[in-house]
Amino acid sequence: MSTQAAPQAVTTTPHTGSAPAVTEAGHPRRWSILAVLGAVAFMAQLDFFVVNVALDGIGRSFPGAGVAGVSWVLSAYAIVFAAVLVPAGRIADHWGRRKMLLAGVALFTLTSAVAAAAPSLGVLVGARALQAVGAAMIVPTSLGLLYPSFPRRQHTLVVGLWAGVGAIAASAGPPVGGLLVTLDWRWIFLINLPVGVATLVAGALLLPEVRQPKGAAVPDAASVLALLLAVSLLVLATVQGPGWGWTDIRTVSLFVGAVLAGAATVERTLRADAPVIEKQLFAGRPFTAAAVALFLFSAGFAIVLLSTALFMQEVWHFSPLRAGVSIAPAPLASIAFAMNAGPLQRRFGRTAPAVTGTLAMALAAGYWLTAVHTTPDYWGGMFPGLILVGLAGGLSQAPLFAAAGTLAPERATTGSAVLNMSRQIGSALGVALLVALTPQATTTGFDHAWAVQAGAGIAAAIALLALRPRHTP
């Protein structure tokens, strides 16, 4: 087993003077804490996917905006969310994870209300960008609060449930969006308001405070800026590349800027006293393998989520609601496997379930390549692949995100943020590849996209096997 830095002290304080302190046995209210953290993580991650099916309705509400303008409702969220994840995670460790999470929920809820009432496309895009900041404050911090609330023996179980919530949010986006958009696209934002208010109240009452000890070094400002630029430019280039053209001077310039900013980030990671991404994160093979595999897996998974909904609507001419409901078996299968993440890891280790899941995603793509045709055949064509996709999400994401638990306790939030950043960048790449491969929504284009999905799953499995720990503890 690879060595890692010795854990440093982490200050864990209750939210009120009378609340019980967190112990080695876990917080007395740990299951209630899990429910709150799962709810806010679900809300934040669902919004990334639920908007996809609402773009047509949004475009009709703002005549003259054009497809390129409306697409920024998605792009603004994707870019800001990916860029802010790691800085938000590092700041949370200093300011307090509970404070950061509650502030993120408040911001997310408020900007959801603004988005729902947006009188113009510009206001909607701005609200989405700020909504992404709130989501970036929520997602890694929720996992950072989860670890100290549970004893180590339960970490795999609870992270499996937390990751399962994320997989369900991703897979449930199209069906939930399809249902809400039949009323009005503004409902996809209004639905966040009661959830946000309820979790704010519950979080204020239940969540403990966790932060680094006073005097801990503040993250290096230059590394924070370099990382923000690198991720923003990379995701922007990936998102705009299909529309602008991959050889367009604007796309090339963005990629060059991302490489230069990325190099500066690496330089600060190696030389700064307190970089935003500490090099110790990658000292162990499990975390490094998870970061690489999540990037590859997420690229393929994003193709899954969008290609299935688009294929059923554009080729089979399903309604958005019917297409959304047809995808529902995938999240249902995901939660079934995610809930068994703990027993599966105890029986087979962390690597085997994750590899099985990534290969299941590749197998789903292979099945669709042979079984899905222009003639609608949901049960014989699309459905078996969706079950494999559910297996993929439930088996893979839990052990991959659980890799943050191999880090020292004070690095759990930052580690979770890095893993989520890998997922978001991979998702942006997957969406860009799908758009580039299916400009006319033809079966040939979808076949190419599913071939890329298969390759991403196989590559993720190879990365996990190549970087697996040399010795089993």
Side-chain angles (χ1 to χ4, degrees), residues 3 26 82 104 108 153 199 214 260 271 354 364 366 377 391 418 468:
T3 59
F108 190 91
R153 68 180 184 278
T199 52
K214 290 183 178 180
L260 293 175
R271 297 180 181 276
D377 180 15
L391 184 151
V418 170
R468 69 185 185 278

Side-chain angles (χ1 to χ4, degrees), residues 82 231 234-235 238 295 298-299 420-430:
V231 177
L234 176 60
V235 177
T238 304
F295 168 77
S298 299
N420 275 284
M421 182 181 70
S422 295
R423 178 175 64 177
Q424 292 310 127
I425 295 174
S427 295
L429 176 61

Side-chain angles (χ1 to χ4, degrees), residues 42-260:
F42 180 86
M43 178 181 68
Q45 296 182 72
L46 177 69
D47 234 59
F48 183 77
F49 298 97
V50 77
V51 179
N52 292 316
V53 297
L55 292 185
D56 286 343
I58 292 172
R60 288 192 295 271
S61 295
F62 304 114
V67 175
V70 173
S71 68
W72 275 99
V73 176
L74 291 177
S75 301
Y77 193 95
I79 293 166
V80 175
F81 186 37
V84 177
L85 275 166
V86 176
R90 288 284 277 145
I91 293 169
D93 285 337
H94 287 266
W95 187 41
R97 296 175 188 175
R98 174 175 170 271
K99 286 181 183 177
M100 178 66 84
L101 183 131
L102 294 179
V105 173
L107 178 61
F108 190 91
T109 305
L110 177 62
T111 51
S112 293
V114 174
S120 67
L121 183 61
V123 172
L124 178 58
V125 171
R128 286 285 285 169
L130 290 174
Q131 196 182 35
V133 174
M137 296 165 69
I138 291 169
V139 174
T141 312
S142 63
L143 191 55
L145 281 167
L146 198 59
Y147 280 116
S149 298
F150 283 82
R152 181 172 290 274
R153 68 180 184 278
Q154 292 182 314
H155 280 183
T156 300
L157 169 64
V158 296
V159 174
L161 293 173
W162 183 92
V165 164
I168 294 170
S171 302
V176 172
L179 178 62
L180 294 175
V181 83
T182 59
L183 303 173
D184 189 287
W185 65 263
R186 297 179 189 274
W187 276 100
I188 64 178
F189 301 113
L190 286 172
I191 199 68
N192 294 328
L193 304 188
V195 179
V197 171
T199 52
L200 268 176
V201 173
L205 293 173
L206 293 171
L207 297 179
E209 185 57 285
V210 181
R211 64 166 64 90
Q212 287 188 346
K214 290 183 178 180
V218 176
D220 174 62
S223 68
V224 172
L225 179 59
L227 180 66
L228 284 170
L229 282 173
V231 177
S232 299
L233 294 175
L234 176 60
V235 177
L236 178 59
T238 304
V239 167
Q240 295 297 111
W244 289 347
W246 296 108
T247 58
D248 186 274
I249 185 63
R250 294 169 294 180
T251 307
V252 173
S253 298
L254 288 172
F255 276 123
V256 170
V259 170
L260 293 175

Side-chain angles (χ1 to χ4, degrees), residues 280-440:
Q280 290 90 343
L281 291 176
F282 300 96
R285 282 172 167 253
F287 183 83
T288 304
V292 174
L294 265 173
F295 168 77
L296 295 167
F297 177 83
S298 299
F301 206 67
I303 291 174
V304 169
L305 297 174
L306 287 180
S307 67
T308 50
L310 286 174
F311 188 93
M312 286 187 280
Q313 291 178 73
E314 300 294 334
V315 180
W316 286 355
H317 305 295
F318 283 15
S319 68
L321 177 59
R322 185 181 177 188
V325 172
S326 297
I327 297 171
L332 294 176
S334 286
I335 190 60
F337 286 101
M339 289 181 67
N340 289 286
L344 285 171
Q345 180 166 322
R346 285 192 294 272
R347 176 68 178 84
F348 300 105
R350 182 182 290 113
T351 302
V355 168
T356 302
T358 58
L359 292 178
M361 184 178 71
L363 186 59
Y367 181 83
W368 288 332
L369 283 168
T370 60
V372 173
H373 308 290
T374 54
T375 302
D377 180 15
Y378 173 75
W379 294 107
M382 194 66 71
F383 178 78
L386 290 172
I387 297 300
L388 287 170
V389 166
L391 184 151
L395 284 183
S396 293
Q397 296 196 66
L400 293 179
F401 278 106
T406 65
L407 303 172
E410 76 280 2
R411 295 193 176 101
T413 302
T414 305
S416 171
V418 170
L419 294 176
N420 275 284
M421 182 181 70
S422 295
R423 178 175 64 177
Q424 292 310 127
I425 295 174
S427 295
L429 176 61
V431 171
L433 289 172
L434 177 64
V435 171
L437 292 169
T438 58
Q440 306 300 325

